[in-house]
C-alpha cells in the first residue's frame, strides 16, 4: 500500500451504508461550467452481508487543520459546493499519457474524464490493473457433472475463493484487507470456455483462409493467460496440422500480468510446449504502430468494459452537449466542470454514432420539448441532463484495428448490462474490495488505483460504430447462444440439469466479425 491513510479510508468507507447523493445543477455560470466537489461519506452503520450497495460519491480528502492521518470520510453535498473557478482557470490540463511517468497521484491539475479513468486504471505506478489486481484461479477445473445443482457450484466456488485468499495471505505473511480479487468466465469454466472459443476460431479459419495463411491469433488483456493455454491445448490435440500453423500473440498493458502470463506459459511441460507459438507483447494497444496485413483473429474478451469513457451532459434548452473535466485540488479532492466546447475525440464520436445509427440511440434527457419545459418549471430543477458516458476510447480502438489490422476478424465478449451502476446513461459500476467484500460507490471520481471502473457495452451502437469505422460486417449474439453453438454444454451440466456456463453470464453478449 502506498499510503497509511488508504487503510483508514477503506475502514471508514466499509463502516458506512450506501446512500444516494443529491444533485444540484440549478445554475449555469457564464461559461456553463459546473464545479462539484466530491466529499467523503460519514454515516455509521455496519455491513452485515456480502452484497452490492450504492454508495455516496467519495474522494481521498483532507480536512482543513487536520493532519492527513486524522482525515475522515464526510457526507457529500452539492448545495454549497466550493467555488473552484479560479483554480480551474489556472490549473494545467494534463492527459493520462503525460501522467504515465508520475509515481504519485496528481494534484493541482485538471483532465478530461476519460484521462482520469485511464490514469486510475492503467497508470504504471499506481493504476488498478498495474498494481492492485489479483485474478482468481480455482485450481483444478470444476467437475460440474458431479455437482447436484447451481447452488452447489456457488458454494464450491465460495470455498475455493476462501482457500485461494488464505493461501495468498499465508504466502505474503499478512492479511491483505484491500486485495482486489476478481474472476473471469475463462477461469471459472476452464477449459470448456476456452475450448468453445477454439472451436469457433478453427472452424472459421478452416473455412476461410486455410491453407493459404497461418492461423494468427491476437489476444488483448489476457489476464492469467488461461484462455491462450486452453485454445492452444485444444488445437494441438484436435487439429495438429492447424496447430503447426498457429501463432498466438498477447498484447498486455500491465507489466505484472504480462509476467504472470509468461510464468503460466512456462509452468508445466505441456504449457512449455506452446512457448515457440506464443509472443507476449507488453504494451498498450493504443501505442500500437506496426501494420499487420495478414488475416488474423483479434480476441477482446471482457476488455471493452474497462475502456475509458468521456462524460457528457446536455443543455436541456438547446440539447447541446457539454464535456466533463475533472479538477484535482491540492488535497486530492475532485470537482467536475462542464464546458460546451468538445474535444476532437468526443466530437468525432458523436458524429460517427449519429451517422452510423441514423440518429437512433438513447439520450439522457426527455426527447419531448414539452416534457423538458414542464420539468424546468419545477423548483430546483436542473438545467443540465443526467450524465451520459460515451466510449471514446472504444472508437480509438476501432481506429487501431482499421489502420493496423486491416484483415482482422474481431471476437469480443462483454456485459451489455451491469447491476448497481452509478447514475447516468451508459454509466459504470465503480467498486473495490475490503476484507473480502465488494464495496460499490456512486462515482468514478475515486482514489486512483483502488477501484475497478467497468462500463456496460451498448452492442447495438457499438456494432454500428464498428461497421462504420472498419467497413466490416458483424453478428451479435447472447453469451448463452454462442456457448450453445460452440461449447460441449454437457461438460458443464450439473446433475439437476442446470448449466452455469449458460446461465451465469446472461448479461453478456458476443460480437464477431463475419
Amino acid at each position: 500500500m502506498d499510503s497509511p491513510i488508504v487503510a483508514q479510508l477503506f475502514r471508514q468507507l466499509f463502516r458506512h451504508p450506501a446512500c444516494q447523493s443529491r444533485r444540484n445543477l440549478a445554475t449555469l455560470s457564464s461559461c456553463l461550467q459546473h464545479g462539484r466537489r466530491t466529499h467523503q461519506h460519514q454515516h455509521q452503520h455496519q455491513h452485515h452481508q456480502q452484497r452490492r450497495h450504492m454508495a455516496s460519491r467519495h474522494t481521498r480528502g483532507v480536512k482543513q487543520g487536520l493532519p492527513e492521518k486524522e482525515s475522515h470520510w464526510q457526507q457529500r453535498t452539492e448545495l454549497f459546493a466550493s467555488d473552484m473557478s479560479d483554480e480551474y482557470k489556472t490549473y494545467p490540463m494534463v492527459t493520462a499519457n503525460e501522467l504515465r511517468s508520475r509515481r504519485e497521484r496528481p494534484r493541482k491539475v485538471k483532465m478530461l474524464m476519460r484521462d482520469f479513468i485511464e490514469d486510475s486504471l492503467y497508470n504504471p505506478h499506481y493504476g488498478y490493473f498495474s498494481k492492485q489486481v489479483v485474478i482468481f484461479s480455482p485450481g483444478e477445473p470444476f467437475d460440474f457433472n458431479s455437482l447436484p445443482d447451481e447452488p452447489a457450484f456457488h458454494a464450491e466456488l465460495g470455498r475455493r475463493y476462501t482457500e485461494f485468499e488464505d493461501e495468498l495471505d499465508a504466502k505474503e505473511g499478512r492479511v491483505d484487507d484491500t486485495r482486489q480479487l476478481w474472476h473471469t468466465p475463462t477461469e471459472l469454466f476452464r477449459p470448456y470456455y476456452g475450448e468453445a472459443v477454439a472451436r469457433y476460431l478453427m472452424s472459421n479459419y478452416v473455412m476461410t483462409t486455410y491453407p493459404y495463411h497461418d492461423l494468427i491469433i491476437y489476444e488483448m488483456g489476457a489476464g492469467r493467460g488461461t484462455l491462450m493455454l486452453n485454445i492452444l491445448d485444444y488445437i494441438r490435440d484436435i487439429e495438429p496440422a492447424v496447430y503447426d500453423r498457429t501463432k498466438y500473440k498477447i498484447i498486455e498493458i500491465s507489466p505484472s500480468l504480462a509476467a504472470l502470463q509468461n510464468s503460466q506459459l512456462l509452468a508445466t511441460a505441456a504449457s512449455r510446449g506452446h512457448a515457440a507459438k506464443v509472443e507476449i507483447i507488453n504494451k498498450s494497444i493504443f501505442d500500437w504502430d506496426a501494420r499487420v496485413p495478414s488475416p488474423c483473429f483479434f480476441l477482446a474478451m471482457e476488455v471493452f468494459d474497462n475502456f475509458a469513457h468521456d462524460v457528457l451532459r446536455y443543455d436541456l434548452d438547446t440539447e447541446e452537449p457539454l464535456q466533463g473535466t475533472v479538477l484535482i485540488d491540492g488535497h486530492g479532492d475532485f470537482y467536475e466542470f462542464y464546458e460546451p466546447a468538445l474535444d476532437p475525440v468526443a466530437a468525432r464520436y458523436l458524429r460517427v454514432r449519429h451517422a452510423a445509427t441514423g440518429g437512433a440511440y438513447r439520450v439522457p434527457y426527455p426527447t419531448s420539448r414539452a416534457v423538458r419545459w414542464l420539468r424546468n418549471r419545477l423548483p430546483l430543477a436542473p438545467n443540465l441532463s443526467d450524465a451520459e458516458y460515451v466510449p471514446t476510447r472504444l472508437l480509438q480502438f476501432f481506429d487501431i484495428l482499421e489502420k493496423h489490422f486491416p484483415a482482422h476478424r474481431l471476437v469480443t465478449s462483454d456485459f451489455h448490462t451491469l447491476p448497481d451502476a452509478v447514475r447516468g446513461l451508459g454509466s459504470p459500476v465503480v467498486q473495490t474490495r475490503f476484507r473480502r467484500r465488494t464495496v460499490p460507490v456512486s462515482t468514478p471520481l475515486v482514489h486512483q488505483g483502488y477501484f475497478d471502473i467497468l462500463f456496460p457495452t451498448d452492442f447495438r451502437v457499438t456494432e454500428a460504430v464498428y461497421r462504420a469505422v472498419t467497413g466490416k460486417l458483424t453478428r451479435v449474439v447472447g453469451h448463452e447462444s454462442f456457448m450453445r453453438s460452440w461449447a460441449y454444454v454437457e461438460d458443464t451440466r450439473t446433475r439437476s440439469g442446470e448449466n452455469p456456463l449458460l446461465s451465469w453470464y446472461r448479461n453478456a453478449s458476443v460480437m464477431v466479425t463475419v
Side-chain angles (χ1 to χ4, degrees), residues 94-376:
V94 298
T95 67
N97 280 340
E98 293 169 346
L99 295 173
R100 282 187 182 183
S101 60
R102 294 275 295 266
R103 294 185 174 273
E104 300 294 332
R105 293 163 179 82
R107 297 193 178 190
K108 294 187 177 181
V109 297
K110 60 188 176 185
M111 66 189 82
L112 295 174
M113 178 64 83
R114 73 167 179 268
D115 286 304
F116 178 83
I117 294 173
E118 181 104 1
D119 183 59
S120 298
L121 294 178
Y122 300 110
N123 184 282
H125 304 290
Y126 51 78
Y128 181 81
F129 287 102
S130 303
K131 295 298 180 183
Q132 303 301 328
V133 162
V134 179
I135 302 176
F136 168 71
S137 174
E140 290 297 314
F142 291 98
D143 183 2
F144 291 94
N145 296 157
S146 69
L147 294 172
D149 49 27
E150 276 199 30
F153 169 61
H154 192 278
E156 176 63 13
L157 175 61
R159 185 187 67 79
R160 294 198 192 186
Y161 242 91
T162 300
E163 282 186 357
F164 184 81
E165 289 211 76
D166 287 345
E167 290 175 3
L168 288 178
D169 287 341
K171 182 178 180 180
E172 296 170 7
R174 65 183 180 90
V175 175
D176 188 347
D177 285 339
T178 60
R179 179 182 294 116
Q180 301 303 305
L181 178 68
W182 44 266
H183 61 261
T184 66
T186 302
E187 299 293 340
L188 294 189
F189 302 108
R190 174 172 61 91
Y192 314 113
Y193 183 93
E195 290 175 353
V197 176
R199 290 187 197 99
Y200 174 84
L201 297 177
M202 276 207 314
S203 174
N204 283 271
Y205 168 66
V206 170
M207 289 190 300
T208 55
T209 60
Y210 179 81
Y212 307 105
H213 296 277
D214 291 337
L215 172 56
I216 302 174
I217 304 168
Y218 283 85
E219 183 185 0
M220 179 173 59
R224 296 176 57 90
T226 302
L227 181 61
M228 167 192 68
L229 295 176
N230 293 161
I231 289 175
L232 291 177
D233 284 347
Y234 184 82
I235 297 175
R236 181 174 59 186
D237 295 343
I238 301 301
E239 289 289 347
V242 172
Y243 180 77
D244 289 342
R245 305 196 60 175
T246 298
K247 300 176 183 178
Y248 205 107
K249 302 174 186 288
I250 289 177
I251 304 172
E252 178 58 63
I253 189 174
S254 168
S256 60
L257 289 179
L260 176 61
Q261 292 153 13
N262 189 64
S263 67
Q264 291 287 97
L265 181 63
L266 303 177
T268 66
S271 62
R272 283 195 297 271
H274 300 311
K277 302 286 185 182
V278 175
E279 181 182 3
I280 299 173
I281 305 165
N282 185 200
K283 69 188 301 182
S284 169
I285 184 62
F286 298 105
D287 295 330
W288 193 270
D289 55 4
R291 184 172 173 82
V292 181
S294 301
C296 62
F297 290 92
F298 203 105
L299 306 183
M301 316 305 280
E302 292 188 40
V303 170
F304 291 177
D305 56 355
N306 287 123
F307 276 167
H309 286 48
D310 271 296
V311 63
L312 306 176
R313 293 181 188 270
Y314 295 81
D315 186 302
L316 294 178
D317 291 328
T318 66
E319 300 183 19
E320 290 299 314
L322 293 86
Q323 188 170 8
T325 299
V326 179
L327 180 144
I328 308 176
D329 71 6
H331 297 305
D333 286 341
F334 306 121
Y335 304 77
E336 279 185 89
F337 284 75
Y338 286 85
E339 292 198 53
L342 302 185
D343 89 305
V345 176
R348 177 171 173 254
Y349 175 81
L350 295 185
R351 292 195 305 271
V352 172
R353 179 179 68 173
H354 189 81
T357 63
Y361 51 85
R362 294 186 299 160
V363 292
Y365 54 84
T367 55
S368 168
R369 291 184 179 274
V371 172
R372 294 202 303 273
W373 184 87
L374 289 173
R375 287 190 177 183
N376 286 343

Side-chain angles (χ1 to χ4, degrees), residues 196 199-200 475 477-489 502:
R199 290 187 197 99
Y200 174 84
R475 181 172 67 252
V477 297
H479 169 88
E480 179 180 353
S481 177
F482 182 86
M483 288 299 156
R484 286 190 182 278
S485 297
W486 298 104
Y488 293 159
V489 293
L502 303 179

Side-chain angles (χ1 to χ4, degrees), residues 398-437:
F398 292 160
D399 289 336
I400 295 288
L401 291 181
E402 190 275 332
K403 181 179 180 180
H404 296 297
F405 301 86
H408 78 274
R409 300 183 68 177
L410 180 64
V411 181
T412 184
S413 176
D414 231 307
F415 302 103
H416 54 254
T417 184
L418 289 168
D420 301 322
V422 308
R423 182 173 177 178
L425 178 61
S427 55
V429 172
V430 185
Q431 61 189 19
T432 188
R433 288 182 85 244
F434 183 71
R435 293 180 179 172
R436 305 189 181 187
R437 299 186 186 182

